[in-house]
Amino acid sequence: MSEMITADLVDLDLSADTKEAAARALAERMVAQGRVTDLDGFLADVAAREAQMPTGLDGGIGIPHCRSEYVTEPSLAFGRSAEGVDFGAPDGPADLIFLIAAPAGADDAHLTILSALARQLMNADFTSALRSVGDAESAAALIRGDEPEGSTDSAATPAAASAGAAAGSTDTAGDDDRPFRIVAVTSCPTGIAHTYMAAESLENAGREAGVELVVETQGSAGFTRLDPAVIAAADGVIFAHDVPVRDKARFAGKPTVDVGVKAGINRPAELITEVRGKAERGEVTAGTGAATPVERGGEPGEGYGTMLRKWLMSGVSYMVPFVAAGGLLIALGFAIGGYEIKSAPSVMQHFVWTQTDSWAALMFQIGAVAFGFLVPVLAGYIAYGMADRPGLVPGFVGGMIASTINAGFLGGLAAGLLAGGVVLAIQRVKIPKAVRGIMPVVVIPLISTAVVGFLMFVVIGKPIASAQKGMTDWLNGLSGSNAILLGALLGLMMCFDLGGPVNKVAYTFATAGIAVSNPSDSAMKIMAAVMAAGMVPPLAMALATTVRGKLFTETERENGKAAWVLGASFISEGAIPFAAADPLRVIPSSMVGGAITGALSMAFGATLRAPHGGIFVVPLIGSPFLYLIAIAVGMCVTTTLVVVLKGMRKQAAGAAAPGAPEDISAPAADAKQPVAA
């Protein structure tokens, strides 16, 4: 730690009253030492990490941290606050604040040292010493491990001892008096702090509870897989993670508790008690729960509505690449060979290398195959979001049945939810320990697929197919003011959360209409309106930073340059940095512009066969000139609103300056503060 923290990076009288101010004060010390090259850029990365999950911990500790391209070497700054700073911990403000800065390509050795510090923060003696230390040099030495000698080693000792005990105890697996055995995995998005703090907390709680507990930390410094013999001998599993558990199938067939990483830090004893209870009841839940952040479900406090949204978004997120690839290939086939190319013979039977029509037919037929996966993939990964890998087989089969009986996307949604629900129900059944190992690979796929297939073919498939046909007929009948209102609504949805769930609902609605070999005119108009509206926010932000750059921070002006390309490519997420910094001005302005664009696109009768591509698929758009006018109008409206609203804020701040200079927020500070909210 000798190169990571010095007395110059310690502030024992930190006076900041917000987490943003605390991070800025400590980061300024790093800038002064040449460890950070761009203060605002680095703080934006810190705020982005904070927005993922608050970094306050029980016991009065705050650990803002991030990886950043603006960091020249792994660094640590420490601040002690008399009043305390709120970092979102359940027990109140933090008085010990550690700002951890890791370069984008930090080496494993440095990250290992930082992980040792994270473990030390779970040591009450260590934190007590930091609260009583009298000078900056002594504080830096204490954190480095100079005093007492070997403190860093002692932080790692419990983990090693626990691992050794677990490994050694496999020889006595037949002893009836052996302690309960638990294996755990911890991980967090950055892999620097929370991963190792959760591991230390679980290990300490395990020793107090008299259980053998060994942790696999899947952090930035890499990880060493647990010995398969240790996993096999374990009686239960704890996953404390916010990113996917790598090689999760290793733990299949065991009672499992699956939570976020902060639960591993704050309530380890409860998790141990919970997994012991599941083992006593014979509940096999290994493999259920979270596979990725978007698929996480069942966190404490989440309602069924929140979990349902996450499950559906899981299916949509996996389906979108198939939509993009298949739709663009079909559109290119039409562009090269004309609409009659859909009637071309199979390229397996007739393909001439020198004929353009053959290449057009090839693209169309590949795209059609890709489109054939849409409903099965949607259903399969909805079930995956609910029940992890065991849900894939019944989900895919149910989705394919939905396609076969013409139940479409509604059938895929129903099949995915059915498959996930059936698997979860099977996993709750108490079964003998001897057959738990074959449950995920034999019993669950067999039973769940049979049940889902029966329900889709015999019970609910036909009513859903009728509903799907009714919705298609309704879309085909839209015209006049109804079509314009629908375009405005879809435009509002596309710009509401910029790539989030509402945006994806509108996008999926549009792609569902063209995901056939011969889409209707109404479906192609809806697709055109959705893509046009989705291009407006990033293009408008790019224009705003160009015409009134003084209203934006330097970082935002740089983001504006990239937003030109992102907007032109139909990537709505290009406006997220602006919306995160100033949501009350950017999001409503974007929604107004998007609604106008969507309505104009429908009024102009623009059509689109491709589900993606932005301006790069303009040759495939019906009425392309009017289509571009619709985008330009919406972009100008959003730009005008953003500039006016930001200008009003700046004038208000200037008017307050004479009386209360300390309350003035310059555009840079004001733009960054909401990011971490």
Side-chain angles (χ1 to χ4, degrees):
M1 192 73 67
S2 60
E3 296 180 356
M4 290 193 184
I5 185 168
T6 64
D8 294 322
L9 297 176
V10 175
D11 185 351
L12 297 181
D13 297 301
L14 187 64
S15 59
D17 57 357
T18 66
K19 60 184 178 181
E20 293 83 10
R24 179 173 288 274
L26 295 176
E28 286 173 348
R29 290 177 174 263
M30 293 183 175
V31 172
Q33 298 299 310
R35 295 167 179 261
V36 171
T37 59
D38 184 328
L39 177 62
D40 287 339
F42 171 66
L43 289 174
D45 291 336
V46 173
R49 172 61 186 88
E50 190 77 20
Q52 293 179 352
M53 180 177 65
T55 54
L57 303 173
D58 287 346
I61 298 171
I63 51 167
H65 59 279
C66 72
R67 287 176 174 271
S68 175
E69 61 180 315
Y70 304 113
V71 177
T72 60
E73 58 182 307
S75 302
L76 172 68
F78 169 65
R80 190 172 65 191
S81 170
E83 300 297 328
V85 179
D86 185 7
F87 274 86
D91 66 343
D95 62 327
L96 303 181
I97 301 162
F98 299 84
L99 178 62
I100 302 174
D107 60 89
D108 290 352
H110 285 108
L111 291 172
T112 300
I113 296 173
L114 288 175
S115 70
L117 167 70
R119 285 178 173 270
Q120 279 285 68
L121 294 177
M122 296 292 99
N123 185 331
D125 293 336
F126 177 70
T127 54
S128 296
L130 285 175
R131 289 187 170 95
S132 61
V133 69
D135 60 272
E137 186 60 52
S138 299
L142 180 63
I143 294 171
R144 287 195 301 264
D146 297 347
E147 296 179 354
E149 184 177 357
S151 62
T152 299
D153 292 340
S154 66
T157 300
S162 179
S169 65
T170 58
D171 295 334
T172 60
D175 188 352
D176 293 337
D177 297 328
R178 69 170 178 80
F180 191 84
R181 295 169 178 166
I182 299 174
V183 290
V185 176
T186 61
S187 65
C188 65
T190 308
I192 296 174
H194 290 84
T195 298
Y196 303 97
M197 298 174 77
E200 184 74 8
S201 182
L202 286 168
E203 289 163 356
N204 292 339
R207 285 191 292 274
E208 293 175 2
V211 305
E212 291 181 0
L213 191 151
V214 59
V215 183
E216 177 179 291
T217 52
Q218 297 185 355
S220 292
F223 72 101
T224 302
R225 288 173 172 78
L226 291 173
D227 188 325
V230 173
I231 298 175
D235 301 302
V237 179
I238 296 175
F239 293 140
H241 65 122
D242 285 321
V243 294
V245 173
R246 284 171 272 189
D247 297 335
K248 194 174 183 179
R250 295 174 292 159
F251 305 93
K254 294 184 180 293
T256 303
V257 171
D258 194 334
V259 295
V261 69
K262 292 193 77 171
I265 299 173
N266 296 331
R267 50 187 185 91
E270 294 179 24
L271 303 183
I272 292 173
T273 300
E274 184 178 350
V275 76
R276 296 188 74 164
K278 287 191 173 186
E280 291 172 1
R281 295 188 297 271
E283 295 183 16
V284 180
T285 56
T288 63
T292 71
V294 75
E295 296 153 12
R296 292 294 295 258
E299 291 290 340
E302 286 188 344
Y304 286 106
T306 301
M307 291 188 288
L308 177 62
R309 176 183 62 80
K310 290 184 176 182
W311 297 335
L312 297 179
M313 288 307 300
S314 170
V316 171
S317 65
Y318 280 100
M319 181 195 73
V320 166
F322 287 85
V323 174
L328 288 172
L329 283 169
I330 288 175
L332 287 173
F334 282 133
I336 296 172
Y339 293 147
E340 64 276 5
I341 202 67
K342 63 185 179 183
S343 302
S346 170
V347 292
M348 286 286 292
Q349 303 169 354
H350 179 77
F351 183 81
V352 180
W353 289 80
T354 57
Q355 286 186 358
T356 303
D357 285 350
S358 290
W359 288 100
L362 177 64
M363 293 180 186
F364 175 85
Q365 291 170 24
I366 294 174
V369 170
F371 259 18
F373 285 97
L374 298 191
V375 174
V377 167
L378 175 68
Y381 281 100
I382 288 174
Y384 176 66
M386 295 176 67
D388 212 320
R389 290 178 63 182
L392 284 174
V393 173
F396 271 92
V397 172
M400 184 58 72
I401 293 173
S403 293
T404 302
I405 63 177
N406 296 319
F409 279 74
L410 292 178
L413 294 174
L417 295 172
L418 272 176
V422 170
V423 172
L424 290 176
I426 295 173
Q427 289 175 327
R428 288 189 173 92
V429 176
K430 185 175 180 179
I431 59 171
K433 189 173 182 178
V435 298
R436 291 176 186 172
I438 66 171
M439 288 292 290
V441 294
V442 177
V443 180
I444 293 177
L446 173 63
I447 297 176
S448 61
T449 301
V451 171
V452 171
F454 168 77
L455 292 174
M456 289 299 297
F457 269 126
V458 180
V459 181
I460 67 171
K462 192 171 182 178
I464 293 176
S466 298
Q468 177 79 14
K469 184 178 184 300
M471 186 180 72
T472 302
D473 293 341
W474 173 73
L475 288 176
N476 291 336
L478 282 178
S479 61
S481 60
N482 288 335
I484 294 173
L485 289 175
L486 178 61
L489 175 61
L490 292 172
L492 288 171
M493 295 174 68
M494 288 298 295
C495 301
F496 175 73
D497 53 2
L498 304 172
V502 177
N503 171 286
K504 287 295 188 291
V505 168
Y507 180 70
T508 304
F509 176 72
T511 56
I514 66 166
V516 293
S517 59
N518 188 26
S520 67
D521 188 66
S522 295
M524 291 189 288
K525 288 179 180 178
I526 291 171
M527 187 69 250
V530 162
M531 189 170 81
M535 295 167 65
V536 166
L539 289 175
M541 294 304 103
L543 180 60
T545 58
T546 301
V547 299
R548 288 296 303 275
K550 292 183 179 180
L551 296 177
F552 299 87
T553 66
E554 181 179 351
T555 301
E556 286 175 327
R557 290 194 292 271
E558 289 299 315
N559 288 335
K561 297 176 183 177
W564 284 114
V565 178
L566 295 174
S569 304
F570 180 40
I571 300 176
S572 303
E573 289 84 346
I576 286 179
F578 302 92
D582 196 0
L584 295 180
R585 295 171 180 84
V586 172
I587 292 178
S589 301
S590 298
M591 291 175 67
V592 172
I596 291 174
T597 293
L600 287 176
S601 177
M602 293 291 278
F604 293 154
T607 59
L608 176 63
R609 287 180 172 270
H612 215 289
I615 64 170
F616 303 104
V617 294
V618 166
L620 307 177
I621 296 173
S623 303
F625 180 71
L626 293 175
Y627 185 76
L628 294 176
I629 288 179
I631 295 173
V633 170
M635 180 176 68
C636 291
V637 169
T638 297
T639 300
T640 301
L641 289 174
V642 168
V643 168
V644 170
L645 293 174
K646 282 184 173 287
M648 293 171 60
R649 178 195 63 184
K650 188 174 182 180
Q651 291 176 1
E662 68 277 8
D663 291 335
I664 299 175
S665 295
D670 186 70
K672 290 187 177 299
Q673 191 168 355
V675 175

